[in-house]
Amino acid sequence: QKEVEQNSGPLSVPEGAIASLNCTYSDRGSQSFFWYRQYSGKSPELIMFIYSNGDKEDGRFTAQLNKASQYVSLLIRDSQPSDSATYLCAVNNAGNMLTFGGGTRLMVKP
Amino acid sequence: KAGVTQTPRYLIKTRGQQVTLSCSPISGHRSVSWYQQTPGQGLQFLFEYFSETQRNKGNFPGRFSGRQFSNSRSEMNVSTLELGDSALYLCASSLGHGVNTEAFFGQGTRLTVV
């Protein structure tokens, strides 16, 4: 059983819509959660991280964490074609050892 | 402020050879982690170095090793290369060692084993 699960997609949304990306994790002791964006052929780029239950907003991005349900999500408001990429969820359980999900491919259509 | 620098960007090696990859973290960052990314397995943690000491290790064979220098630069070595070692190798730079520390990735080294 994979420790961090993501729907591989593709998730297709129209330009201007809200994209909702989801991630579940198996280790109840997980402490911090990260969202990365990766364009094809490029390295992952950190979008934001969250470690407290609730919402955390940064510009058009909102991360949501529910530790009781072992669930973390990323909302992208006013989606743009430039947001089309693979979004990686990562969990930090110890030190700087990140466990990644397989990623969700997002396609934003003009 | 310079980002994370990995060299070389591309490598082609023959089975059985060994390879050394280099990573210079963001100035002031003391932790360097290494990851392997393949289409089949995704991103997998190799190991982390902090203050020249290996702090965590992933589930990879002993052919994969690393070290960190006093200036926080890190090297990763893979000996006796196998075809399955072909991957994008990424290093991540973090300010400290802890679960709430952000990690920033370099551009990666694309290794092809033939």
Side-chain angles (χ1 to χ4, degrees):
Chain A
Q1 181 185 357
K2 291 196 72 173
E3 296 179 32
V4 181
E5 296 272 7
Q6 294 181 258
N7 188 316
S8 62
L11 171 66
S12 183
V13 301
E15 183 175 355
I18 295 175
S20 178
L21 304 158
N22 305 314
C23 172
T24 58
Y25 58 95
S26 60
D27 186 346
R28 190 168 287 277
S30 298
Q31 299 186 48
S32 56
F33 308 85
F34 298 77
W35 283 101
Y36 286 86
R37 176 174 62 194
Q38 187 172 27
Y39 293 109
S40 180
K42 302 293 185 182
S43 62
E45 172 192 6
L46 179 64
I47 299 173
M48 61 194 306
F49 80 102
I50 186 169
Y51 55 85
S52 299
N53 273 328
D55 295 359
K56 179 180 179 182
E57 188 175 314
D58 185 359
R60 296 188 296 115
F61 300 96
T62 298
Q64 299 176 316
L65 175 60
N66 185 325
K67 288 187 177 180
S69 301
Q70 295 176 238
Y71 176 95
V72 58
S73 64
L74 179 71
L75 301 178
I76 306 175
R77 290 181 299 280
D78 188 24
S79 295
Q80 300 297 309
S82 59
D83 294 326
S84 297
T86 296
Y87 288 79
L88 298 162
C89 171
V91 173
N92 191 336
N93 297 326
N96 290 327
M97 185 173 71
L98 296 177
T99 301
F100 282 85
T104 298
R105 190 157 69 94
L106 173 67
M107 297 172 58
V108 181
K109 299 193 172 181
Chain B
K1 188 176 183 182
V4 183
T5 303
Q6 289 189 247
T7 57
R9 292 291 308 279
Y10 303 92
L11 266 178
I12 299 176
K13 290 287 188 179
T14 304
R15 273 181 302 173
Q17 288 186 314
Q18 74 167 13
V19 67
T20 299
L21 312 181
S22 179
C23 174
S24 293
I26 294 169
S27 177
H29 283 199
R30 295 169 61 197
S31 170
V32 173
S33 301
W34 289 90
Y35 293 83
Q36 181 196 66
Q37 187 173 32
T38 60
Q41 299 298 317
L43 258 167
Q44 294 185 289
F45 174 82
L46 281 155
F47 30 66
E48 179 210 359
Y49 285 87
F50 177 76
S51 293
E52 302 178 64
T53 302
Q54 187 180 92
R55 299 302 179 111
N56 287 299
K57 189 177 191 305
N59 189 25
F60 278 82
R63 299 185 297 108
F64 292 82
S65 63
R67 59 178 175 168
Q68 186 180 35
F69 303 95
S70 58
N71 62 357
S72 295
R73 188 178 72 86
S74 177
E75 288 182 346
M76 188 191 92
N77 185 274
V78 188
S79 63
T80 320
L81 284 166
E82 300 176 359
L83 294 178
D85 296 333
S86 295
L88 178 66
Y89 289 89
L90 293 157
C91 83
S93 167
S94 300
L95 184 62
H97 174 76
V99 292
N100 294 333
T101 305
E102 298 164 289
F104 301 92
F105 283 90
Q107 295 293 85
T109 294
R110 172 80 56 187
L111 172 64
T112 302
V113 182
V114 298

